[in-house]
Amino acid sequence: MWEKDINIQEVREIRVRPNVYFGVGAIKKIDDILKALKSEKNVDKVIVVSGRGAYKATGAWDYVEAALKSNGIGYINFDKVTPNPTTHHVDEAVKMALDFGAKAVIAIGGGSPVDAGKSTAILMEYPDKTCNDLYEFKFAPQKAAPIVAINLTHGTGSETNRFAVVTIPEKDFKPAIAYDCIYPYASIDDPQLMVKLSPSQTLYVSVDAVNHVVEAATSKVASPYSITLAKETIRLVAKYLPKAISNPEDLEARYFLSYASLLGGVSFDNGLLHYTHALEHPLSAVKHELSHGLGLAMLLPAVIKYIYAEKANVLADILSPIVAGLKGEASEAQYVADAVEKWLFELGITQKLSDEGFCENDVKKLTHLAFNTPSLDGLLSIAPNNATEEIVSAIYSESLTPYCK
């Protein structure tokens, strides 16, 4: 069905990189990766960028530390990355890396440590710049230290692509960057490292993957590749997320959710993002404790409602694992929004913006941030319709409370 929306005269760039070692036991490949990094890039010291505990609790660190020691690579660990990492975290990590003489970055964690690690890798090559300079687009980096990404969640896709996100807390800005120099040198997706994700983390990261592909399949630069990946991503999440919630140690469920996340990361590396991420970033920039995936989930139904008329064929097709029987007609918009919200509620994500402390009085500020945070206006510019302040405000307002009460 979605083929009807493709203009075959438009030339699209199809991005397929980097190498990802994927599957149960993939963490064991870290030894081979470090051997290659030492011989090919002359890396003898690294900085490990992580959160405070997950890199050890998952067992990933046991393999990484052993591989570093066996390959004679010195290391220092910056373990202060929090959800929604800030420019201050990155600047501190960069200073530590430069003082130590690190030549590469190993990022261990979900999207936050990987994004912080990517940002650190850039600034290691530009020691006269700050993270604020990077995320306020005061320069365009052409190089970065090599990055090894060891992914501990199945949602962000950051281990597969050239994107990173860091918050500038003083300005309530949460911009996104995208540079070829931060494609990882190599990445690891090992489902056995993800079995200790809490039920809420499992939900939120998986819904992040769904949001990635809904946007990547419907943007103005969507390609057949981003759309094809989108449908499979949603099918896998719809099938395996309930199983992972029911049994967190179900390795098959974690495997296919990890694969869905990987596909989602590649999908938006190609089709990019628009409304949901452009509107979520202000939410978690204002409330740093808000989970990115939860913010996306609360916005998703309204976003689908407001883009359905322009991309009905694509959305009817890729959402079919969640909402069956769609005909791809503009008149279905509210029905689809209701159905997606119901699906989220059935999974256990019942919160809306008002439950997280937002109110109608916040809509003006959030809308302003969506259009004025560096990079977010670029996302809005590739939304499938004309992203006006009226539409953005309406999405925020309609996400305050449930459609289906």
Side-chain angles (χ1 to χ4, degrees), residues 272-274 278 370-371 373-383:
L272 306 183
L273 303 169
H274 52 80
F371 282 95
T373 297
S375 79
L376 299 189
D377 59 337
L379 299 187
L380 291 172
S381 72
I382 58 170

Side-chain angles (χ1 to χ4, degrees), residues 15 17-18 147 160-162 179-185 269:
R15 290 175 172 263
R17 46 176 159 165
I147 303 153
T160 70
N161 59 41
R162 62 201 152 110
Y179 297 109
D180 283 7
C181 63
I182 52 173
Y183 278 111
Y185 172 81
D269 199 30

Side-chain angles (χ1 to χ4, degrees), residues 41-73:
K41 303 290 186 180
N42 197 31
V43 170
D44 58 357
K45 291 182 178 181
V46 303
I47 182 168
V48 179
V49 177
S50 70
R52 296 189 183 277
Y55 74 109
K56 288 185 177 179
T58 58
W61 180 240
D62 293 337
Y63 290 95
V64 175
E65 186 177 38
L68 286 166
K69 289 180 177 178
S70 68
N71 285 284
I73 297 175

Side-chain angles (χ1 to χ4, degrees), residues 203-317:
L203 285 170
Y204 299 157
V205 297
S206 300
V207 170
D208 190 3
V210 170
N211 276 274
H212 286 155
V213 298
V214 167
E215 294 168 81
T218 57
S219 76
K220 289 177 181 175
V221 296
S223 69
Y225 189 42
S226 65
I227 297 169
T228 300
L229 295 175
K231 185 172 183 179
E232 183 65 358
T233 296
I234 293 173
R235 184 188 74 82
L236 290 170
V237 171
K239 180 176 180 179
Y240 288 99
L241 182 52
K243 295 182 179 183
I245 295 301
S246 175
N247 179 9
E249 296 189 5
D250 185 335
L251 276 176
E252 181 184 55
R254 296 291 185 184
Y255 179 97
F256 285 109
L257 289 173
S258 300
Y259 185 55
S261 173
L262 183 153
L263 295 181
V266 178
S267 180
F268 86 82
D269 199 30
N270 283 270
L272 306 183
L273 303 169
H274 52 80
Y275 276 119
T276 322
H277 276 75
L279 273 64
E280 192 289 321
H281 284 200
L283 296 178
S284 49
V286 171
K287 294 184 181 294
H288 299 170
E289 71 281 4
L290 177 67
S291 168
H292 173 61
L294 174 58
L296 294 170
M298 295 187 292
L299 295 166
L300 181 60
V303 169
I304 288 174
K305 172 184 171 179
Y306 278 91
I307 66 172
Y308 196 81
E310 287 75 19
K311 291 293 180 180
N313 287 319
V314 171
L315 288 167
D317 202 14

